[in-house]
Amino acid sequence: MIAVLKSGVTKAQREKLTQWIESQNVRVHVSEGEFQTIIGLIGDTSRIDMDLLSSLEIVEKVSRVSEPFKSASRRFHPDDTVVEVGEGENKVKIGGGNFCMIAGPCSVESEEQIITVAKAVKAAGARMLRGGAFKPRTSPYDFQGLRGEGLELLFKARKATGLPIVTEIMNAAHLDMFADVDIIQVGARNMQNFELLKELGRSKKPILLKRGLAATLKEFLMSAEYILAEGNPNVMLCERGIRSFDTYTRNVLDLASVPMLHELSHLPVVVDPSHATGVARLVKPMACAATVSGADALIIEVHNNPTCALCDGAQSLTPEQFAEVAERVNELRTLITR
Ligand code: PEP
Ligand code: MN
């Protein structure tokens, strides 16, 4: 349920109302927009007298929100969420008209590799560095990532370039090790690891939540809701393609999800054309299409030597190829925001 307040309502009047709602065992989410303030009621609202609420002098209208995701819903929070990371000249904003590119290898392999790639993607215009330290591999015999050492190398790469870092967590028990990570990624395979999501909700760290391998948008948003419900508002949704029957591409990039997610939710939407296609030559056209579809950021795999990559070489761009993608994407951004 949401209650839209009349304009000119004072803070004291608003607080009196939220206290009254909370006294009925319902949680309150206040969204103060430029033009209106919306009070979102979360929990069992069956005992709230809608007519009584609507009749209050400071309330303009009351309506029920049918979506099961409340905090993630745009109806609760009409303004776009903007996630901010980094400091000073390395500060990056995502969402609400702020766009950026995140690039780096699938996995961190060595100090030389990550620093070379970090410098190259920065020079090409990336504002953040990605790199997996803990890798969710289908086979237990494949490279599992450098784990803690990989995180240390990412910190070194950040020091060398200033780029904030994005890296995947697979186990809530590792959260302490991730304390200094700028954005924690939850991979597709863990989108419904609800205990992990709850822990991340309590951590307040910016979270990049990737869409599950076969998740509906409702399931995707319900997973975001797990993080938001614990009090962490810094969630970004990442479309990375979904399973289908074709085998020429790794996944099917669902670009209609971008405007649909923007309609349903206020959270920034990031697109990953690398995992979505699995084919390096398809990354550029899909990065362009994702930009035009309204993505708030792109996350792209780049390796200094893709043929020797320990993971996902086939979909990784060289730094030169990434620079071409970045140039084209920037041109398209200026066209669509004009
Ligand atoms: C990744 O980004 O390295 C990754 C494993 O992606 P996904 O979870 O989308 O498969
Ligand atoms: Mn990968």
Side-chain angles (χ1 to χ4, degrees):
M1 191 183 285
I2 57 167
V4 180
L5 302 190
K6 286 185 182 154
S7 58
V9 169
T10 64
K11 197 164 172 241
Q13 284 175 307
R14 197 186 74 199
E15 275 171 9
K16 207 168 150 203
L17 175 63
T18 55
Q19 276 164 15
W20 175 69
I21 297 170
E22 280 167 346
S23 72
Q24 299 177 70
N25 279 333
V26 170
R27 281 194 299 127
V28 165
H29 174 275
V30 180
S31 168
E32 245 178 301
E34 212 180 317
F35 304 107
Q36 30 175 223
T37 298
I38 293 180
I39 309 271
L41 285 70
I42 309 170
D44 179 9
T45 55
S46 59
R47 274 168 298 163
I48 301 276
D49 184 340
M50 243 176 120
D51 294 332
L52 179 61
L53 188 58
S54 320
S55 70
L56 298 178
E57 189 149 0
I58 63 168
V59 175
E60 188 166 297
K61 64 170 190 238
V62 177
S63 56
R64 287 213 173 266
V65 175
S66 49
E67 296 99 15
F69 45 90
K70 307 291 179 197
S71 303
S73 164
R74 193 173 279 284
R75 295 230 278 148
F76 261 47
H77 190 294
D79 293 339
D80 289 339
T81 283
V82 179
V83 176
E84 268 187 43
V85 293
E87 274 156 31
E89 63 186 37
N90 297 312
K91 184 187 241 177
V92 187
K93 290 186 185 179
I94 302 179
N98 303 285
F99 176 85
C100 81
M101 272 174 279
I102 306 166
C106 179
S107 33
V108 180
E109 297 171 9
S110 69
E111 178 165 345
E112 197 211 339
Q113 174 241 20
I114 192 68
I115 293 191
T116 308
V117 176
K119 287 183 175 163
V121 297
K122 183 180 179 178
R127 302 290 314 279
M128 271 192 256
L129 176 68
R130 65 147 286 146
F134 291 86
K135 293 303 305 174
R137 304 304 300 273
T138 301
S139 165
Y141 308 117
D142 285 340
F143 177 56
Q144 302 287 303
L146 296 180
R147 302 171 68 85
E149 189 196 337
L151 291 179
E152 293 306 322
L153 296 180
L154 282 168
F155 299 143
K156 277 195 183 169
R158 177 176 59 194
K159 200 157 179 222
T161 58
L163 296 179
I165 54 177
V166 183
T167 193
E168 177 165 352
I169 195 165
M170 295 205 291
N171 187 338
H174 295 163
L175 250 173
D176 282 350
M177 270 195 269
F178 281 68
D180 206 19
V181 165
D182 299 284
I183 296 184
I184 300 182
Q185 173 176 315
V186 175
R189 291 154 191 82
N190 271 314
M191 188 202 83
Q192 288 190 317
N193 182 341
F194 300 119
E195 289 300 317
L196 176 63
L197 300 177
K198 284 188 214 169
E199 280 292 335
L200 295 171
R202 291 189 276 268
S203 86
K204 311 286 186 288
K205 279 258 166 207
I207 308 296
L208 181 73
L209 177 65
K210 296 190 101 178
R211 182 176 182 181
L213 306 179
T216 64
L217 294 184
K218 191 186 275 182
E219 288 163 342
F220 190 17
L221 288 164
M222 290 308 290
S223 290
E225 189 75 17
Y226 263 90
I227 304 170
L228 298 166
E230 294 294 330
N232 184 352
N234 299 308
V235 180
M236 287 160 281
L237 303 165
C238 179
E239 170 60 54
R240 44 77 75 207
I242 42 174
R243 275 276 164 85
S244 186
F245 42 82
D246 193 67
T247 51
Y248 281 106
T249 55
R250 184 172 175 177
N251 290 296
V252 172
L253 178 52
D254 176 12
L255 280 184
S257 74
V258 180
M260 185 56 94
L261 288 169
H262 279 316
E263 203 176 294
L264 294 168
S265 175
H266 50 89
L267 299 173
V269 180
V270 179
V271 174
D272 174 347
S274 307
H275 291 90
T277 60
V279 181
R281 67 180 185 283
L282 299 184
V283 171
K284 185 176 180 185
M286 290 299 101
C288 292
T291 305
V292 177
S293 76
D296 297 297
L298 300 178
I299 181 164
I300 296 179
E301 286 190 342
V302 179
H303 196 283
N304 50 338
N305 188 357
T307 47
C308 296
L310 294 181
C311 182
D312 286 351
Q315 67 193 35
S316 299
L317 303 184
T318 61
E320 295 73 28
Q321 289 167 332
F322 173 69
E324 277 176 36
V325 174
E327 197 184 327
R328 192 80 187 108
V329 163
N330 284 328
E331 283 168 11
L332 290 169
R333 275 295 300 176
T334 45
L335 270 179
I336 61 171
T337 53
R338 222 174 16 208

